[in-house]
Amino acid sequence: MSLFEQFLQTLAEDLQTVAREYGREYTRALIKVGRDFAEQTRDDLLRWGKLAAAGQLSEDDFKWLLQSKKDALEMELLKQEGLALVQKDRLQQAIIDTVAGALTQTFSA
Amino acid sequence: MIKKLLRPPGIVPFLMLLVLSITACSSSISLFDEQAYQQAVDLKVDALALMKQARQPYDAYEDQVKQLQKEMERAYEYAHGRPKNEVSARQWELMKDPNRHLLGGFLKRWRLQSRLSPVFIEEARKSIGRAFDTIIQLESGKIKPSEIH
């Protein structure tokens, strides 16, 4: 096996590990965020409904809070969009480290 | 030495390192910024404290509201001015917009209604507090300069 083939083999194995690890971590985080937001929304809506029924929240206040939920969702989605970019940069950095590691391992031997 | 480097397979690692170095410079989003993080935390604390006063007449707190709006504008401009920071800037834009339903909208509502109900204030504080958290969490989730090799 040539040095370059050795390099490719080392690289492929290392990259598979990196991609698997980053993909799993990101998917897990996304699922958790979605679930947390849905649960939070359900709790808020139930509480606001009760407060409105008891006359402690006016109809106008209730509507305003509902609208704020929509804006909060937009903020959450922006956060996720930003964190996805961070994750992309982290993956890119990990790939660079992996390739550099494989290069060093193969060609400096 | 140059000849040796250019001779296959010597050229392969050299070219790959070159490509990697160029790629490494092209991040998708700004790095973590301590000042931006601190600004968001401080504004959250100040905003939630001032919101508590919204059961009192707006006029009595107008100066403090204007000061808070100025600080929020400063945070937006700071975020807006940082390269590759559009997502954080957009978050501040929503937060300060008087026609949306976050801090900017709350302050407008207070001004228009003069005073707000304690229950509404408490619920709005929870929502707006969480919205601030999304700004803080995005900033703290960014890659720290010390993590870059």
Side-chain angles (χ1 to χ4, degrees):
Chain A
M1 192 187 288
S2 74
L3 263 184
F4 188 65
E5 282 167 341
Q6 266 181 47
F7 163 70
L8 283 182
Q9 192 178 334
T10 310
L11 182 62
E13 287 165 5
D14 291 351
L15 283 180
Q16 268 180 19
T17 312
V18 168
R20 226 182 352 251
E21 204 46 52
Y22 274 75
R24 196 176 352 193
E25 193 183 306
Y26 185 62
T27 310
R28 207 179 291 143
L30 263 187
I31 291 170
K32 186 182 179 316
V33 164
R35 191 182 297 140
D36 287 354
F37 192 84
E39 284 173 4
Q40 188 73 68
T41 302
R42 184 199 56 204
D43 294 349
D44 286 346
L45 292 181
L46 282 174
R47 196 174 59 256
W48 296 342
K50 281 180 191 165
L51 288 168
Q56 291 182 278
L57 265 184
S58 71
E59 194 186 325
D60 208 32
D61 286 347
F62 181 73
K63 279 185 191 162
W64 196 96
L65 289 169
L66 280 183
Q67 291 289 325
S68 81
K69 194 44 92 177
K70 183 175 145 270
D71 290 342
L73 175 62
E74 204 170 327
M75 293 287 274
E76 184 63 41
L77 292 175
L78 281 167
K79 182 186 97 181
Q80 289 310 319
E81 184 186 332
L83 291 178
L85 292 174
V86 173
Q87 191 69 5
K88 184 181 160 226
D89 287 349
R90 285 191 189 281
L91 178 60
Q92 181 176 295
Q93 187 61 50
I95 290 171
I96 290 165
D97 291 348
T98 306
V99 174
L103 276 172
T104 312
Q105 194 183 324
T106 311
F107 292 99
S108 65
Chain B
M1 187 199 162
I2 299 283
K3 272 185 182 172
K4 191 182 170 193
L5 193 65
L6 291 174
R7 202 175 54 217
I11 193 158
V12 176
F14 172 75
L15 287 177
M16 292 204 83
L17 276 175
L18 186 68
V19 170
L20 289 175
S21 307
I22 294 166
T23 316
C25 297
S26 60
S27 62
S28 317
I29 190 165
S30 58
L31 297 178
F32 171 76
D33 182 293
E34 181 67 41
Q35 189 180 335
Y37 175 79
Q38 203 51 54
Q39 216 168 23
V41 171
D42 291 347
L43 260 166
K44 178 186 173 186
V45 172
D46 292 348
L48 295 184
L50 185 58
M51 284 174 77
K52 263 190 182 171
Q53 309 304 323
R55 62 180 68 185
Q56 309 294 332
Y58 175 84
D59 290 348
Y61 290 89
E62 191 172 15
D63 289 348
Q64 289 180 48
V65 169
K66 286 192 170 157
Q67 183 59 36
L68 185 66
Q69 285 168 326
K70 200 169 142 189
E71 292 300 322
M72 206 161 35
E73 199 61 45
R74 188 170 291 152
Y76 164 72
E77 287 300 336
Y78 186 75
H80 186 60
R82 288 168 59 203
K84 295 183 180 175
N85 199 41
E86 295 80 7
V87 181
S88 293
R90 178 78 187 121
Q91 286 186 308
W92 280 114
E93 216 171 87
L94 290 178
M95 182 62 87
K96 75 187 182 76
D97 188 344
N99 297 315
R100 302 296 288 251
H101 299 78
L102 296 171
L103 186 57
F106 179 92
L107 296 175
K108 181 185 175 186
R109 191 172 173 80
W110 186 9
R111 179 170 56 80
L112 292 178
Q113 300 198 359
S114 182
R115 58 177 81 197
L116 301 170
S117 89
V119 174
F120 172 75
I121 294 168
E122 214 32 62
E123 295 302 320
R125 285 179 79 240
K126 285 179 198 158
S127 285
I128 291 168
R130 281 188 224 122
F132 265 109
D133 288 342
T134 66
I135 297 179
I136 294 166
Q137 286 159 0
L138 173 55
E139 196 57 44
S140 66
K142 290 176 183 173
I143 298 172
K144 314 281 180 294
S146 59
E147 292 178 69
I148 301 285
H149 313 295

